[in-house]
Amino acid sequence: MYGDPRTIRRILNELGDTWAVVGLSANERRAAHGVADVLQRFGKRIVPVHPKAETVHGEPGYPSLDAIPFPVDVVDVFVNSELAGGIADEAVAVGAKAVWFQLGVLDEAAWDRVRDAGLDMVMDRCPAIEIPRLG
């Protein structure tokens, strides 16, 4: 349900290539760092979103979604589940087309709000795993 193959394919192939990666910092030991690298290798523009607003993989960072001065297609969420719902609400507010909660990030109420707002959503999945499956 939270990782419908059609929705995954649509997000990865059709909704746009600008991905805000919330929780992405310059810390190479964090999962977000490696996933952002995979996204870039598959043609996505990554936008680091982290309170430190660090440049990561050559892309300038922003402290929040609403600080990004251009449209974002997908918001990829690497924060704990307790904070993820607020990020999902921000994604809706900034006009994103989709929200992607990473492995282990779960919030059913956020799922309902995002879907009710008309956005696509994937939860408890990783695009770095899903992209190669597309073939």
Side-chain angles (χ1 to χ4, degrees):
M1 176 178 163
Y2 298 126
D4 172 63
R6 288 177 304 227
T7 302
I8 289 170
R9 183 174 295 279
R10 185 171 44 253
I11 291 172
L12 291 172
N13 289 337
E14 299 171 21
L15 292 187
D17 291 330
T18 302
W19 285 54
V21 184
V22 180
L24 175 58
S25 71
N27 184 343
E28 295 179 11
R29 295 185 304 265
R30 304 291 298 184
H33 199 274
V35 171
D37 181 56
V38 171
L39 288 169
Q40 274 191 322
R41 284 189 280 126
F42 281 90
K44 307 300 182 191
R45 175 185 185 188
I46 59 117
V47 182
V49 179
H50 190 279
K52 293 180 182 178
E54 298 171 302
T55 296
V56 183
H57 298 305
E59 294 289 343
Y62 298 89
S64 62
L65 290 174
D66 64 358
I68 300 171
F70 48 82
V72 169
D73 300 311
V74 181
V75 176
D76 189 4
V77 181
F78 277 93
V79 301
N80 66 47
S81 296
E82 293 76 30
L83 300 174
I87 301 298
D89 295 337
E90 290 176 32
V92 171
V94 301
K97 298 173 186 170
V99 175
W100 190 299
F101 280 9
Q102 283 293 325
L103 292 171
V105 180
L106 300 162
D107 184 330
E108 291 183 17
W111 169 271
D112 291 338
R113 291 192 309 273
V114 168
R115 302 286 294 173
D116 289 347
L119 281 70
D120 279 329
M121 184 165 180
V122 172
M123 187 162 62
D124 195 27
R125 295 285 190 275
C126 179
I129 294 170
E130 301 298 336
I131 287 172
R133 290 181 181 172
L134 295 177

XYZ file of all heavy atoms in Angstrom, residues 69-106:
276
model
N 14.322 28.660 -3.129
C 13.756 29.709 -3.985
C 13.275 29.243 -5.363
O 13.101 30.066 -6.265
C 14.928 30.684 -4.123
C 16.125 29.811 -4.073
C 15.783 28.717 -3.084
N 13.052 27.962 -5.531
C 12.579 27.425 -6.802
C 11.678 26.234 -6.504
O 11.697 25.691 -5.393
C 13.761 27.024 -7.707
C 14.805 26.192 -7.017
C 14.650 24.818 -6.857
C 15.944 26.790 -6.506
C 15.611 24.065 -6.214
C 16.911 26.044 -5.847
C 16.747 24.671 -5.705
N 10.885 25.804 -7.477
C 9.961 24.683 -7.238
C 10.693 23.368 -6.990
O 11.749 23.108 -7.570
C 9.150 24.604 -8.526
C 9.327 25.912 -9.205
C 10.685 26.415 -8.791
N 10.103 22.567 -6.142
C 10.612 21.234 -5.815
C 9.545 20.233 -6.255
O 8.360 20.425 -5.989
C 10.877 21.119 -4.303
C 11.154 19.693 -3.899
C 12.021 22.028 -3.894
N 9.975 19.167 -6.913
C 9.033 18.156 -7.387
C 8.723 17.102 -6.324
O 7.573 16.747 -6.106
C 9.586 17.464 -8.638
C 9.825 18.452 -9.770
O 8.907 19.241 -10.070
O 10.928 18.445 -10.338
N 9.781 16.592 -5.694
C 9.633 15.516 -4.720
C 10.367 15.905 -3.443
O 11.471 16.435 -3.495
C 10.212 14.185 -5.264
C 10.033 13.050 -4.252
C 9.574 13.822 -6.605
N 9.732 15.625 -2.304
C 10.378 15.830 -1.006
C 10.680 14.458 -0.422
O 9.775 13.674 -0.132
C 9.482 16.660 -0.060
C 10.128 16.774 1.319
C 9.241 18.050 -0.648
N 11.970 14.160 -0.290
C 12.467 12.880 0.221
C 12.844 13.094 1.679
O 13.706 13.927 1.985
C 13.672 12.472 -0.616
C 14.158 11.071 -0.351
O 13.526 10.342 0.433
O 15.195 10.691 -0.933
N 12.207 12.361 2.588
C 12.280 12.659 4.018
C 13.139 11.650 4.770
O 12.813 10.465 4.850
C 10.862 12.722 4.620
C 10.912 13.050 6.097
C 10.014 13.752 3.865
N 14.243 12.147 5.347
C 15.175 11.365 6.142
C 15.180 11.822 7.595
O 16.235 11.945 8.192
C 16.602 11.526 5.611
C 16.944 10.634 4.466
C 16.788 11.077 3.168
C 17.430 9.360 4.677
C 17.128 10.277 2.097
C 17.773 8.543 3.612
C 17.621 9.007 2.316
N 14.043 12.128 8.149
C 13.967 12.491 9.567
C 13.175 11.413 10.282
O 12.511 10.591 9.640
C 13.331 13.880 9.786
C 14.130 14.962 9.067
C 11.882 13.910 9.340
N 13.222 11.413 11.610
C 12.496 10.370 12.326
C 10.991 10.552 12.162
O 10.498 11.629 11.815
C 12.928 10.299 13.794
C 12.566 11.535 14.575
O 11.440 12.019 14.491
N 13.507 12.040 15.347
N 10.283 9.474 12.402
C 8.840 9.454 12.155
C 8.088 10.535 12.916
O 7.079 11.055 12.434
C 8.278 8.072 12.505
O 8.827 7.094 11.644
N 8.564 10.894 14.104
C 7.881 11.912 14.895
C 7.913 13.290 14.236
O 7.021 14.103 14.438
C 8.494 12.009 16.306
C 8.264 10.790 17.168
C 9.148 9.606 16.797
O 10.288 9.806 16.315
O 8.685 8.460 16.967
N 8.913 13.557 13.427
C 9.042 14.840 12.734
C 8.542 14.799 11.296
O 8.305 15.844 10.681
C 10.505 15.289 12.728
C 11.171 15.500 14.092
C 12.652 15.809 13.912
C 10.472 16.603 14.858
N 8.367 13.610 10.760
C 8.074 13.452 9.333
C 6.743 14.074 8.928
O 6.627 14.641 7.839
C 8.111 11.976 8.953
N 5.732 13.996 9.783
C 4.425 14.548 9.441
C 4.480 16.043 9.194
O 3.844 16.548 8.260
N 5.247 16.743 10.002
C 5.402 18.181 9.798
C 6.092 18.493 8.486
O 5.719 19.451 7.794
N 7.074 17.684 8.123
C 7.765 17.876 6.841
C 6.793 17.608 5.688
O 6.780 18.328 4.693
C 8.995 16.951 6.735
C 9.991 17.222 7.871
C 9.649 17.076 5.367
C 10.575 18.598 7.902
N 5.963 16.578 5.832
C 4.971 16.276 4.795
C 4.026 17.459 4.606
O 3.704 17.826 3.472
C 4.197 15.014 5.157
N 3.595 18.060 5.702
C 2.714 19.229 5.607
C 3.418 20.386 4.910
O 2.809 21.105 4.106
C 2.238 19.647 6.996
C 1.359 18.588 7.655
O 0.757 17.760 6.941
O 1.285 18.599 8.906
N 4.707 20.581 5.193
C 5.478 21.631 4.524
C 5.593 21.341 3.029
O 5.526 22.266 2.208
C 6.869 21.747 5.136
C 6.884 22.316 6.538
C 8.290 22.326 7.130
O 9.270 22.493 6.368
O 8.400 22.150 8.365
N 5.760 20.063 2.675
C 5.856 19.692 1.257
C 4.579 20.076 0.515
O 4.631 20.610 -0.593
C 6.128 18.194 1.129
N 3.440 19.818 1.138
C 2.161 20.215 0.547
C 2.116 21.735 0.402
O 1.758 22.260 -0.654
C 0.980 19.700 1.394
C -0.337 20.290 0.906
C 0.927 18.173 1.388
N 2.529 22.439 1.457
C 2.462 23.903 1.470
C 3.334 24.551 0.394
O 2.967 25.597 -0.152
C 2.841 24.444 2.849
N 4.485 23.948 0.079
C 5.374 24.547 -0.925
C 5.044 24.100 -2.341
O 5.707 24.509 -3.295
C 6.879 24.295 -0.623
C 7.263 24.872 0.730
C 7.240 22.831 -0.751
N 4.032 23.250 -2.493
C 3.600 22.857 -3.828
C 4.341 21.686 -4.446
O 4.344 21.537 -5.677
N 4.959 20.840 -3.618
C 5.614 19.649 -4.157
C 4.576 18.746 -4.822
O 3.376 18.834 -4.533
C 6.337 18.900 -3.043
N 5.044 17.887 -5.691
C 4.153 16.954 -6.376
C 4.066 15.611 -5.658
O 3.116 14.860 -5.874
C 4.641 16.729 -7.799
C 4.653 17.992 -8.642
C 5.294 17.733 -9.981
C 5.450 19.017 -10.775
N 6.276 18.813 -11.976
N 5.095 15.304 -4.853
C 5.135 14.006 -4.174
C 5.975 14.098 -2.910
O 6.856 14.955 -2.791
C 5.702 12.928 -5.097
N 5.689 13.172 -1.999
C 6.465 13.035 -0.763
C 6.929 11.588 -0.685
O 6.159 10.660 -0.961
C 5.604 13.383 0.477
C 6.383 13.131 1.767
C 5.124 14.823 0.405
N 8.186 11.420 -0.296
C 8.766 10.078 -0.183
C 9.359 9.947 1.219
O 10.311 10.634 1.552
C 9.862 9.904 -1.235
C 10.355 8.505 -1.377
C 10.951 7.732 -0.416
C 10.304 7.700 -2.554
N 11.263 6.508 -0.911
C 10.877 6.463 -2.229
C 9.831 7.918 -3.840
C 10.994 5.436 -3.161
C 9.947 6.891 -4.761
C 10.526 5.667 -4.418
N 8.779 9.075 2.042
C 9.326 8.773 3.363
C 10.262 7.584 3.231
O 9.881 6.533 2.718
C 8.219 8.425 4.358
C 7.476 9.596 4.941
C 7.639 10.890 4.482
C 6.583 9.385 5.983
C 6.939 11.950 5.043
C 5.884 10.431 6.554
C 6.056 11.713 6.082
N 11.471 7.754 3.723
C 12.499 6.725 3.616
C 12.181 5.494 4.462
O 11.247 5.477 5.265
C 13.847 7.307 4.047
C 14.482 8.177 3.000
C 14.904 7.390 1.775
O 15.327 6.253 1.841
N 14.801 8.019 0.614
N 13.000 4.471 4.294
C 12.863 3.237 5.070
C 12.785 3.563 6.559
O 13.601 4.328 7.079
C 14.052 2.303 4.820
C 14.151 1.701 3.427
C 15.486 0.987 3.264
C 12.995 0.753 3.172
N 11.798 3.002 7.231
C 11.643 3.202 8.668
C 10.917 4.466 9.063
O 10.654 4.689 10.241
N 10.604 5.321 8.100
C 9.874 6.558 8.399
C 8.395 6.292 8.107
O 8.005 6.072 6.961
C 10.393 7.751 7.566
C 9.605 9.015 7.897
C 11.881 7.964 7.805
N 7.597 6.299 9.162
C 6.183 5.947 9.063
C 5.318 6.957 9.786
O 5.622 7.338 10.916
C 5.943 4.560 9.676
C 6.704 3.405 9.035
C 6.737 2.208 9.957
C 6.072 3.051 7.701
